């Protein structure tokens, strides 16, 4: 997850980055099935954002805000944490909204 977090932080704030992230999450889900739930949650988080701005103008401030929120979220995930912390991370991801 650290590699994914570092990759995302270095990317442009545009929709292409979010689409690429979804593909990377799909690939990770295939390679590391033990992280399927996390990958699916993250993909579900990104999907509405992509749908809202697909073929629509993406305001720079909205793009920067969404990118920052997701970068912070990715950086905060600790796959080596105890189960209780991982569950708290999953719940935090499930409550996050990149659109609003």
């Amino acid at each position: 997850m650290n590699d994914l977090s570092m990759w995302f932080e270095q990317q442009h704030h545009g929709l292409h980055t979010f689409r690429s992230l979804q593909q990377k999450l799909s690939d990770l889900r295939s390679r590391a099935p033990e992280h399927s739930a996390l990958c699916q949650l993250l993909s579900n988080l990104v999907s509405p954002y992509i749908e809202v701005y697909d073929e629509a103008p993406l305001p720079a401030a909205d793009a920067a805000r969404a990118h920052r929120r997701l970068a912070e979220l990715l950086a905060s995930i600790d796959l080596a944490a105890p189960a209780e912390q991982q569950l708290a991370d999953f719940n935090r991801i499930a409550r996050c909204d990149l659109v609003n």
Side-chain angles (χ1 to χ4, degrees):
M1 193 56 61
N2 287 340
D3 291 343
L4 189 63
S5 176
M6 289 187 327
W7 170 84
F8 187 77
E9 285 181 22
Q10 297 171 0
Q11 301 305 304
H12 184 268
H13 301 155
L15 282 182
H16 178 73
T17 296
F18 289 83
R19 287 187 187 109
S20 295
L21 176 64
Q22 279 191 313
Q23 183 58 52
K24 287 181 174 293
L25 289 166
S26 178
D27 294 346
L28 180 59
R29 194 171 34 239
S30 297
R31 288 190 327 270
E34 67 274 15
H35 301 304
S36 290
L38 175 59
C39 291
Q40 188 63 49
L41 275 171
L42 290 167
S43 185
N44 289 350
L45 172 63
V46 172
S47 288
Y49 180 78
I50 293 171
E51 290 172 13
V52 164
Y53 290 112
D54 191 29
E55 297 189 31
L58 176 57
D62 291 353
R65 179 189 47 79
H67 189 274
R68 183 182 62 254
R69 287 170 98 182
L70 188 52
E72 289 170 356
L73 188 66
L74 289 170
S76 72
I77 297 169
D78 182 2
L79 297 177
E84 299 83 23
Q85 180 59 45
Q86 288 186 31
L87 180 58
D89 287 344
F90 285 14
N91 285 327
R92 192 165 33 89
I93 293 165
R95 287 189 309 269
C96 190
D97 181 1
L98 298 177
V99 177
N100 296 314

